[in-house]
Coordinates of all heavy atoms in Angstrom, one line a residue:
Chain S
G178 N -7.7 -3.7 32.5 CA -8.3 -4.6 33.5 C -9.7 -5.1 33.1 O -10.3 -6.0 33.7
Q179 N -10.2 -4.7 32.0 CA -11.5 -5.2 31.4 C -11.3 -6.2 30.5 O -10.5 -6.1 29.5 CB -12.3 -3.9 30.8 CG -13.6 -4.3 30.2 CD -14.3 -3.1 29.4 OE1 -13.7 -2.1 29.2 NE2 -15.4 -3.4 29.0
T180 N -12.1 -7.3 30.6 CA -11.9 -8.4 29.8 C -13.3 -8.7 29.1 O -14.4 -8.7 29.7 CB -11.6 -9.8 30.6 OG1 -10.4 -9.6 31.2 CG2 -11.5 -10.9 29.7
V181 N -13.3 -8.9 27.8 CA -14.5 -8.9 26.8 C -14.3 -10.2 26.0 O -13.4 -10.4 25.3 CB -14.7 -7.7 26.0 CG1 -15.8 -7.9 25.0 CG2 -14.8 -6.5 26.9
D182 N -15.4 -11.1 26.1 CA -15.5 -12.2 25.1 C -16.1 -11.5 23.9 O -17.3 -11.1 24.0 CB -16.3 -13.4 25.7 CG -15.5 -13.9 26.9 OD1 -14.2 -14.0 26.8 OD2 -16.2 -14.3 27.8
F183 N -15.5 -11.7 22.7 CA -16.3 -11.0 21.6 C -16.6 -12.2 20.6 O -16.0 -13.1 20.5 CB -15.3 -10.0 21.0 CG -14.0 -10.4 20.4 CD1 -13.9 -11.0 19.1 CD2 -12.9 -10.4 21.3 CE1 -12.7 -11.5 18.7 CE2 -11.6 -10.9 20.7 CZ -11.6 -11.4 19.5
R184 N -17.5 -11.7 19.8 CA -18.1 -12.5 18.6 C -18.4 -11.5 17.6 O -19.3 -10.6 17.8 CB -19.3 -13.5 18.9 CG -18.9 -14.7 19.8 CD -20.2 -15.3 20.3 NE -21.0 -14.5 21.2 CZ -22.2 -14.7 21.5 NH1 -22.9 -15.7 21.0 NH2 -22.9 -13.8 22.4
I185 N -17.7 -11.5 16.5 CA -17.9 -10.5 15.3 C -18.1 -11.3 14.1 O -17.4 -12.3 13.9 CB -16.7 -9.6 15.2 CG1 -16.3 -8.8 16.6 CG2 -16.8 -8.6 14.2 CD1 -14.8 -8.1 16.6
R186 N -19.0 -10.9 13.3 CA -19.4 -11.7 12.1 C -19.8 -10.7 11.0 O -20.3 -9.7 11.3 CB -20.5 -12.7 12.3 CG -21.7 -12.3 12.7 CD -22.5 -13.5 13.0 NE -24.0 -13.1 13.3 CZ -24.9 -13.7 13.7 NH1 -24.8 -15.1 13.9 NH2 -26.1 -13.2 14.0
T187 N -19.7 -11.3 9.8 CA -20.3 -10.5 8.7 C -20.9 -11.5 7.6 O -20.4 -12.6 7.4 CB -19.2 -9.6 8.0 OG1 -19.8 -8.9 6.9 CG2 -18.2 -10.4 7.5
A188 N -21.8 -11.0 6.9 CA -22.5 -11.8 5.8 C -22.1 -11.1 4.6 O -22.6 -11.7 3.4 CB -24.1 -11.7 6.0
E189 N -21.3 -10.1 4.5 CA -20.9 -9.6 3.3 C -20.1 -10.5 2.4 O -19.2 -11.2 2.8 CB -20.0 -8.4 3.5 CG -20.9 -7.1 4.0 CD -19.9 -5.9 4.3 OE1 -19.0 -6.1 5.2 OE2 -20.0 -5.0 3.7
E190 N -20.5 -10.5 1.1 CA -19.7 -11.3 0.1 C -19.0 -10.4 -0.9 O -19.4 -9.3 -1.2 CB -20.8 -12.1 -0.7 CG -21.5 -13.2 0.2 CD -22.3 -14.2 -0.8 OE1 -22.5 -13.9 -1.8 OE2 -22.6 -15.3 -0.1
S191 N -17.8 -11.0 -1.1 CA -16.7 -10.1 -2.1 C -16.0 -11.1 -2.8 O -15.8 -12.3 -2.4 CB -16.2 -9.3 -1.2 OG -15.4 -10.0 -0.1
T192 N -15.4 -10.6 -3.8 CA -14.5 -11.4 -4.6 C -13.1 -10.6 -4.6 O -13.1 -9.4 -4.9 CB -15.0 -11.5 -6.0 OG1 -16.2 -12.3 -6.0 CG2 -13.9 -12.2 -6.9
Y193 N -12.1 -11.3 -4.3 CA -10.7 -10.7 -4.3 C -9.9 -11.2 -5.5 O -10.0 -12.5 -5.9 CB -9.9 -11.2 -3.1 CG -10.3 -10.5 -1.8 CD1 -11.3 -11.0 -1.1 CD2 -9.7 -9.3 -1.5 CE1 -11.6 -10.4 0.2 CE2 -10.0 -8.6 -0.2 CZ -11.0 -9.1 0.5 OH -11.5 -8.5 1.7
R194 N -9.2 -10.4 -6.2 CA -8.5 -10.7 -7.3 C -7.0 -10.1 -7.2 O -6.9 -8.9 -7.1 CB -9.0 -10.1 -8.7 CG -10.4 -10.7 -9.0 CD -11.0 -10.1 -10.4 NE -12.3 -10.7 -10.6 CZ -13.4 -10.1 -10.4 NH1 -13.4 -8.8 -9.8 NH2 -14.6 -10.6 -10.7
C195 N -6.1 -11.0 -7.2 CA -4.7 -10.6 -6.6 C -3.8 -11.0 -7.7 O -3.9 -11.9 -8.5 CB -4.4 -11.4 -5.3 SG -5.7 -11.4 -4.1
G196 N -2.6 -10.4 -7.7 CA -1.6 -10.6 -8.6 C -0.7 -11.7 -7.9 O -1.1 -12.5 -7.1
E197 N 0.7 -11.7 -8.2 CA 1.6 -12.6 -7.5 C 1.6 -12.4 -6.1 O 1.8 -11.2 -5.7 CB 2.9 -12.5 -8.4 CG 3.8 -13.5 -8.0 CD 5.2 -13.5 -8.7 OE1 5.1 -12.9 -9.9 OE2 6.3 -13.9 -8.2
F198 N 2.0 -13.5 -5.6 CA 2.2 -13.5 -4.0 C 3.4 -12.7 -3.7 O 4.5 -12.9 -4.5 CB 2.5 -15.0 -3.6 CG 2.9 -15.0 -2.1 CD1 1.9 -15.1 -1.1 CD2 4.2 -15.1 -1.8 CE1 2.4 -15.2 0.1 CE2 4.7 -15.1 -0.4 CZ 3.7 -15.3 0.5
V199 N 3.5 -11.9 -2.8 CA 4.6 -11.1 -2.5 C 5.0 -11.3 -1.0 O 4.2 -11.2 0.0 CB 4.4 -9.4 -2.5 CG1 5.5 -8.6 -2.0 CG2 4.0 -9.2 -3.9
G200 N 6.2 -11.9 -0.8 CA 6.6 -12.3 0.5 C 8.0 -12.6 0.6 O 8.8 -12.3 -0.3
D201 N 8.4 -13.5 1.6 CA 9.8 -13.9 1.7 C 10.3 -14.6 0.6 O 11.6 -14.7 0.2 CB 10.0 -14.6 3.0 CG 9.8 -13.8 4.2 OD1 10.0 -12.5 4.1 OD2 9.5 -14.3 5.2
E202 N 9.4 -15.4 -0.1 CA 9.8 -16.2 -1.3 C 8.7 -16.0 -2.3 O 7.5 -15.9 -1.9 CB 10.2 -17.6 -1.0 CG 8.9 -18.4 -0.4 CD 9.1 -19.7 0.1 OE1 10.4 -20.2 0.1 OE2 8.2 -20.5 0.2
R203 N 9.1 -16.3 -3.6 CA 8.1 -16.3 -4.6 C 7.3 -17.6 -4.5 O 7.8 -18.7 -4.2 CB 8.6 -16.0 -6.0 CG 9.3 -14.7 -6.2 CD 9.8 -14.6 -7.6 NE 8.8 -14.2 -8.5 CZ 9.1 -13.9 -9.8 NH1 10.3 -14.1 -10.2 NH2 8.1 -13.7 -10.6
K204 N 6.1 -17.6 -4.9 CA 5.3 -18.8 -4.8 C 4.6 -19.2 -6.3 O 4.6 -18.2 -7.1 CB 4.1 -18.7 -3.8 CG 4.6 -18.7 -2.4 CD 3.3 -18.6 -1.5 CE 3.9 -18.7 0.0 NZ 4.3 -20.1 0.4
G205 N 4.1 -20.4 -6.4 CA 3.3 -20.7 -7.5 C 4.1 -21.3 -8.7 O 3.5 -21.5 -9.8
F206 N 5.3 -21.7 -8.5 CA 6.2 -22.1 -9.5 C 5.9 -23.7 -9.5 O 6.4 -24.5 -8.6 CB 7.6 -22.0 -9.5 CG 8.0 -20.6 -9.7 CD1 8.2 -19.7 -8.6 CD2 8.0 -20.1 -11.0 CE1 8.6 -18.4 -8.8 CE2 8.5 -18.7 -11.2 CZ 8.6 -17.9 -10.1
L207 N 5.1 -24.2 -10.4 CA 4.7 -25.6 -10.5 C 5.5 -26.4 -11.6 O 5.3 -26.0 -12.6 CB 3.1 -25.8 -10.6 CG 2.6 -27.2 -10.6 CD1 3.0 -27.9 -9.2 CD2 1.2 -27.3 -10.8
K208 N 6.2 -27.4 -11.1 CA 7.0 -28.3 -12.1 C 6.1 -29.5 -12.2 O 5.4 -30.0 -11.3 CB 8.5 -28.5 -11.7 CG 9.1 -27.2 -11.7 CD 10.6 -27.4 -11.3 CE 11.4 -26.3 -11.1 NZ 12.8 -26.4 -10.5
A209 N 6.4 -30.2 -13.3 CA 5.7 -31.5 -13.6 C 6.1 -32.5 -12.5 O 7.3 -32.7 -12.1 CB 6.2 -32.0 -15.0
G210 N 5.1 -33.1 -11.9 CA 5.2 -34.1 -10.9 C 5.6 -33.5 -9.5 O 5.8 -34.4 -8.6
E211 N 5.6 -32.3 -9.4 CA 5.9 -31.7 -8.2 C 4.8 -31.0 -7.5 O 3.7 -30.9 -8.1 CB 7.2 -30.8 -8.2 CG 8.4 -31.5 -8.6 CD 9.6 -30.6 -8.6 OE1 9.5 -29.5 -8.2 OE2 10.7 -31.0 -9.1
V212 N 4.9 -30.3 -6.4 CA 4.0 -29.6 -5.7 C 4.4 -28.1 -5.5 O 5.4 -27.9 -5.2 CB 3.7 -30.3 -4.3 CG1 2.6 -29.5 -3.5 CG2 3.3 -31.7 -4.4
A213 N 3.4 -27.2 -5.6 CA 3.6 -25.8 -5.5 C 2.3 -25.4 -4.6 O 1.4 -26.0 -4.6 CB 3.7 -25.0 -6.8
D214 N 2.5 -24.1 -4.1 CA 1.3 -23.6 -3.3 C 1.1 -22.0 -3.5 O 2.1 -21.4 -4.0 CB 1.7 -23.9 -1.8 CG 2.9 -23.1 -1.2 OD1 4.0 -23.6 -1.4 OD2 2.7 -22.0 -0.7
L215 N 0.0 -21.8 -3.1 CA -0.4 -20.4 -3.3 C -1.1 -19.9 -1.9 O -1.6 -20.9 -1.2 CB -1.4 -20.0 -4.5 CG -0.7 -20.1 -5.8 CD1 -1.7 -20.0 -6.9 CD2 0.3 -19.0 -5.9
E216 N -1.2 -18.7 -1.6 CA -1.7 -18.3 -0.4 C -2.8 -17.2 -0.5 O -2.5 -16.2 -1.2 CB -0.6 -17.8 0.6 CG -1.0 -17.5 1.9 CD 0.1 -16.9 2.9 OE1 1.0 -17.8 3.2 OE2 0.1 -15.8 3.2
M217 N -3.8 -17.3 0.2 CA -4.8 -16.2 0.4 C -4.5 -15.7 1.9 O -4.6 -16.3 2.8 CB -6.2 -16.8 0.3 CG -6.6 -17.4 -1.0 SD -8.0 -18.5 -1.1 CE -7.3 -20.0 -0.4

Side-chain angles (χ1 to χ4, degrees):
Chain S
Q179 180 186 4
T180 300
V181 175
D182 293 322
F183 63 83
R184 288 169 293 168
I185 304 168
R186 68 187 180 186
T187 183
E189 285 177 296
E190 295 195 336
S191 57
T192 296
Y193 286 90
R194 299 184 181 93
C195 318
E197 183 174 340
F198 175 90
V199 175
D201 291 336
E202 60 181 16
R203 296 182 80 180
K204 290 183 177 290
F206 293 100
L207 180 60
K208 296 179 180 176
E211 297 187 5
V212 178
D214 66 277
L215 290 176
E216 181 181 295
M217 296 162 278

